Amino acid sequence: MKFNTRLLHGRAVKRYAEGATVPPIAQVTAFSFPTAEEQANVFQHKAAGFAYSRVGNPTVAAFETRLNELEGGNACIACSSGMSAITLALLNMLCAGDEIIAGCGLYGGSIDLFEDLTKFGIKTRFVRHMTVEEIEPLVNERTRVIFGELIGNPGLEIMDVPKVAEYAHHIGVPLIVDSTTATPYIAKPLELGADIVVHSASKYINGGGNSVSGAIIDGAKFKWDFDKFEALSGYRKFGILAYTIRLRTDIWENMGSCLSPMNAYLNIIGLETLGLRMERICQNAETLARALDEIPGISVNYPTLPGNPYRELAERELQGLGGGILTFRAGSKEKAYRVLDSLQYVTRATSIGDFRSLAIHPASTLYIRSTPEMREAAGVFDDTIRVSVGIEDVEDLIDDFRQALKA
Ligand code: PLP
């Protein structure tokens, strides 16, 4: 089955109650049981079923199984946001005193989270580029995980997943990949060697800009050393499934990070058109990037443009696609604001992956808590504009930016 067919007819797509083609929205808090014993069995994980929506819900489960199939995972756990997915993916395996190695070209919220984690005794060491050469000198006996974005938002650096994963396994730690900007349409990090994938499903997976949501997908191939990963030591008997089981029955459940059934439903509707949207978005982004790059004085960052240092990697790892984000520099903050204020079809809004094109000045919004060094490492300068390209007619998008740049 190819990608678009799998979205509609994959193993995870069920015949739902009454023959419904999409799952009904189980918008409930608790589920009733015919007997106390049946209820106890579900609570004790002796029987399958749903008892309370923070712990499990049929609409949410339908979303999880669909995304899990697309990523080729062993299990998917849906979360209330992309940030909760990243937080829990890390906390599930880390203890105070442990260290993370992360790329610094990350989404600003993730950089802020790593700063927050220092208060819990978890330190992050940042590399400028996610390469083995830069990671190696930062590894020590407390290193427990390597974390990076497949296509960095908004720096658009691409991680060489097979190389980084091979090195991570060589030093005995898992690789977590935030694949929000790539989506399983462009690449499947687990197949490339990563161990765990996280998503902000608020973006391309949902597609309509109508639900904040996230997901963690565990490939369940990493062989945990339970003496080294103390956080998982109580789950030793589950072997390679320890990560998923602790997450599902402990950290995720207790931290109350569940996705709402309504948002899971909206994500399923969105997911069914992921392939079509991504095809159009990637085409539009590349065409717009090329058109803007021809304007004198404007230099565009987009992975598949000639001369971009990640072009060859995009060819090898991302099927030659560059994703839906581009950035360019307007010359000064004032000019960037002027361009943004002059846009007619492109919406001035944060977020990415909406089917509407969105634009923002990241330095004065998403990166206000970052140091100037971290900001620049993420490709964010005072005059940078980030564009999340949508599915509009690309000629209109090009015209819109041309008139805004003239203004
Ligand atoms: N990861 C990436 C790459 C993002 O771009 C974002 C948000 O923009 C997040 C994670 C956080 O996701 P959410 O806003 O759903 O919490």
Side-chain angles (χ1 to χ4, degrees):
M1 231 186 272
K2 294 211 170 113
F3 191 80
N4 286 307
T5 312
R6 190 180 299 283
L7 291 173
L8 300 167
H9 304 286
R11 255 184 301 112
V13 181
K14 303 264 162 40
R15 191 175 177 278
Y16 303 102
E18 315 292 348
T21 50
V22 285
I25 309 164
Q27 190 67 29
V28 294
T29 305
F31 297 80
S32 68
F33 289 86
T35 65
E37 190 180 352
E38 283 169 83
Q39 184 179 36
N41 285 339
V42 169
F43 261 76
Q44 293 168 31
H45 305 291
K46 288 181 186 157
F50 299 99
Y52 189 64
S53 282
R54 170 163 52 75
V55 181
N57 175 283
T59 318
V60 177
F63 169 61
E64 291 172 335
T65 50
R66 287 191 186 207
L67 184 56
N68 187 50
E69 181 179 355
L70 295 178
E71 287 289 6
N74 181 62
C76 169
I77 289 159
C79 300
S80 53
S81 68
M83 288 317 301
S84 75
I86 297 171
T87 306
L88 300 183
L90 293 166
L91 292 186
N92 194 45
M93 70 169 82
L94 298 179
C95 293
D98 288 346
E99 291 192 5
I100 302 166
I101 295 182
C104 52
L106 297 176
Y107 164 63
S110 302
I111 296 175
D112 294 347
L113 168 69
F114 291 131
E115 175 59 30
D116 294 335
L117 290 181
T118 60
K119 309 290 187 302
F120 295 88
I122 296 167
K123 177 176 176 155
T124 302
R125 295 178 185 271
F126 289 101
V127 286
R128 173 65 192 83
H129 304 286
M130 274 300 260
T131 59
V132 174
E133 294 69 31
E134 291 197 21
I135 294 170
E136 200 166 16
L138 301 188
V139 173
N140 62 38
E141 72 285 355
R142 294 310 310 175
T143 306
R144 289 293 178 274
V145 60
I146 299 178
F147 178 94
E149 290 172 12
L150 180 45
I151 308 175
N153 169 25
L156 305 179
E157 295 192 5
I158 299 172
M159 191 199 312
D160 190 331
V161 177
K163 272 202 190 142
V164 177
E166 189 187 21
Y167 179 71
H169 299 157
H170 167 69
I171 60 166
V173 303
L175 171 64
I176 301 184
V177 172
D178 180 337
S179 195
T180 300
T181 47
T183 81
Y185 176 78
I186 295 184
K188 297 182 182 60
L190 298 177
E191 282 179 8
L192 295 170
D195 301 288
I196 292 151
V197 175
V198 290
H199 277 286
S200 166
S202 329
K203 310 296 186 318
Y204 297 95
I205 286 174
N206 170 277
N210 56 43
S211 310
V212 170
S213 50
I216 306 168
I217 300 108
D218 180 14
K221 294 225 173 80
F222 187 76
K223 294 194 177 54
W224 301 99
D225 170 346
F226 294 103
D227 297 324
K228 179 170 171 177
F229 290 90
E230 291 160 55
L232 292 172
S233 60
Y235 293 79
R236 194 179 285 266
K237 69 174 180 195
F238 297 110
I240 53 172
L241 299 180
Y243 182 87
T244 292
I245 293 175
R246 178 174 194 231
L247 186 61
R248 176 72 82 187
T249 62
D250 187 349
I251 286 279
W252 171 83
E253 180 178 320
N254 296 337
M255 294 214 167
S257 224
C258 58
L259 182 62
S260 80
M262 182 67 195
N263 285 0
Y265 171 80
L266 292 167
N267 283 351
I268 291 169
I269 304 294
L271 203 52
E272 294 193 335
T273 58
L274 178 68
L276 273 184
R277 285 185 286 106
M278 288 310 287
E279 189 182 341
R280 170 77 168 215
I281 282 172
C282 292
Q283 267 169 12
N284 274 3
E286 169 143 353
T287 309
L288 179 63
R290 283 177 186 271
L292 293 179
D293 207 40
E294 276 170 15
I295 299 175
I298 299 294
S299 125
V300 178
N301 183 18
Y302 186 72
T304 58
L305 282 186
N308 187 290
Y310 293 97
R311 202 174 179 202
E312 187 271 324
L313 194 48
E315 202 56 56
R316 184 154 41 90
E317 193 170 86
L318 309 180
Q319 309 176 61
L321 299 172
I325 302 174
L326 63 88
T327 64
F328 67 90
R329 298 182 63 177
S332 67
K333 178 180 166 185
E334 291 66 33
K335 286 185 185 170
Y337 272 30
R338 187 77 187 270
V339 171
L340 285 166
D341 292 349
S342 306
L343 289 167
Q344 287 172 357
Y345 309 131
V346 178
T347 309
R348 280 171 298 280
T350 189
S351 199
I352 53 172
D354 196 317
F355 41 49
R356 288 158 206 83
S357 292
L358 310 173
I360 194 164
H361 180 252
S364 59
T365 54
L366 303 165
Y367 286 83
I368 40 177
R369 281 176 64 191
S370 301
T371 61
E373 297 75 44
M374 288 299 280
R375 224 175 9 227
E376 293 192 4
V380 175
F381 301 90
D382 262 355
D383 60 345
T384 300
I385 292 178
R386 182 189 75 182
V387 185
S388 169
V389 182
I391 62 169
E392 297 93 341
D393 293 300
V394 74
E395 297 80 5
D396 289 331
L397 294 177
I398 294 170
D399 284 350
D400 199 11
F401 276 101
R402 282 200 181 126
Q403 66 77 24
L405 282 160
K406 253 192 206 131

